[in-house]
Amino acid sequence: MAPRKISVPALRARKHDGKRIVMVTAYDALFARMADEAGVDALLVGDSVGTVVQGLENTLAVELDDIVYHCRAVARGTQRAHIVGDMPFMSYQVSPEQALESAGRLIKKGGAESVKLEGGAEVAESVRRIVMAGIPVMGHLGLTPQSIHAMGGHRIQGRSAEARTRLLADARALEEAGVFAIVLEGIPLEAARDVTVAIDVPTIGIGAGPHCDGQVLVLPDLLGLTDRFNPRFLKRYEKFAERGREAIACFVEEVQEGVFPSLEHSFSVDEIEGRDRPERVVHA
């Protein structure tokens, strides 16, 4: 029997049951399955795919079709965790109608179970329109990567009292519009605490301190698949980049020296003819 899917009502209930939400950002079936089996509550198919997978400088060039593609892959590797599809730059900013159409595409074509978009009061009407269509929405406040040019780069937000007041107002506007959770990114822990206390939907932090109702990290980051990205908020739980380079270097050496493949990794005619069924061979 397949594990029971984690639903939006179940995630929202975490606000009051004392159990923190654990979310990771993933982009394919392989890592989605790994995270799902490890017990994460939600998988975010983020527009960070642009910087993490596609090698882009920022997320602005990511297309809606990119997210649809990666959502489908993540959905194939997931049985239990809730799947959130990120709405990329200019897939929702034009109008509430455009936002609804983009959200619907992530659900219908991508297999997402909810969508996430960046912004506060200025996107509240789009959030409301999407929610009214029966599509759950996760908000995103603070350091919003799609606004890096306006913010002057990836800078901590909510530094001033005025900025923190605006952040709180935006969170309330999103809650009123119907979001079921809000990601808080790159803000002082005091600001995240104030927002978390003030609203009745869960907050999920990344670089926002310990007071949020949950936490999210990009899966390749927490696994240490990259060692060139070193923000203060990131904790690496493994060193896969270092270990991976060592493993590949060993493969290079063994191939060059004729050590691999050995007879152990080869097929002989006598062995193959003696079998009732041919061994399945998948080639690169």
Side-chain angles (χ1 to χ4, degrees):
M1 180 180 294
R4 184 176 180 179
K5 262 284 186 175
I6 294 180
S7 66
V8 164
L11 290 172
R12 183 162 182 162
R14 296 286 183 88
K15 181 76 178 183
H16 302 292
D17 68 11
K19 188 176 180 181
R20 301 287 180 92
I21 296 171
V22 181
M23 184 165 74
V24 298
T25 299
Y27 313 107
D28 60 30
L30 175 64
F31 284 102
R33 186 175 297 111
M34 186 186 301
D36 192 49
E37 292 173 351
V40 302
D41 301 306
L43 291 166
L44 170 63
V45 184
D47 62 0
S48 54
V49 67
T51 54
V52 177
V53 176
Q54 297 174 347
L56 301 173
E57 288 294 320
N58 55 55
T59 65
L60 300 181
V62 175
E63 300 285 350
L64 184 63
D65 284 344
D66 295 332
I67 304 298
V68 169
Y69 172 88
H70 287 280
C71 273
R72 283 202 301 262
V74 166
R76 293 186 194 109
T78 306
Q79 289 190 305
R80 174 182 170 274
H82 178 79
I83 301 171
V84 186
D86 217 352
M87 296 180 66
F89 183 59
M90 295 310 297
S91 69
Y92 59 93
Q93 287 92 341
V94 174
S95 67
E97 290 74 22
Q98 183 212 26
L100 176 58
E101 184 176 353
S102 297
R105 183 168 174 78
L106 285 177
I107 301 297
K108 288 186 66 174
K109 301 295 185 180
E113 294 153 347
S114 66
V115 300
K116 181 180 76 66
L117 51 79
E118 297 179 6
E122 72 277 11
V123 299
E125 186 54 39
S126 292
V127 170
R128 190 173 290 109
R129 189 71 175 273
I130 297 169
V131 171
M132 286 179 64
I135 300 173
V137 178
M138 178 179 288
H140 186 159
L141 294 172
L143 196 169
T144 48
Q146 293 175 19
S147 302
I148 57 166
H149 294 318
M151 294 185 299
H154 293 88
R155 302 167 59 88
I156 297 297
Q157 302 297 298
R159 297 167 181 263
S160 67
E162 180 183 359
R164 290 192 291 274
T165 298
R166 187 166 58 249
L167 183 70
L168 186 55
D170 281 336
R172 286 171 169 154
L174 289 177
E175 180 182 21
E176 184 179 347
V179 300
F180 72 92
I182 300 175
V183 170
L184 299 177
E185 179 173 359
I187 61 174
L189 62 89
E190 295 87 355
R193 178 196 59 206
D194 292 347
V195 170
T196 300
V197 169
I199 62 176
D200 200 40
V201 297
T203 59
I204 301 174
I206 177 168
H211 302 299
C212 297
D213 299 302
Q215 297 291 328
V216 57
L217 283 177
V218 174
L219 191 52
D221 291 344
L222 77 87
L223 291 176
L225 281 165
T226 174
D227 47 16
R228 300 181 181 181
F229 180 61
N230 297 293
R232 180 173 177 174
F233 66 80
L234 174 60
K235 178 177 179 179
R236 288 192 175 88
Y237 290 82
E238 252 296 352
K239 298 179 179 179
F240 281 0
E242 178 182 332
R243 292 171 60 185
R245 281 192 295 267
E246 291 173 354
I248 295 168
C250 185
F251 172 64
V252 170
E253 181 180 348
E254 289 195 358
V255 171
Q256 290 176 341
E257 294 182 356
V259 176
F260 177 85
S262 66
L263 293 179
E264 177 187 357
H265 304 102
S266 305
F267 305 97
S268 70
V269 171
D270 292 341
E271 180 185 19
I272 295 170
E273 289 181 347
R275 290 182 175 173
D276 294 331
R277 292 184 303 169
E279 181 169 335
R280 184 185 179 202
V281 179
V282 180
H283 59 73

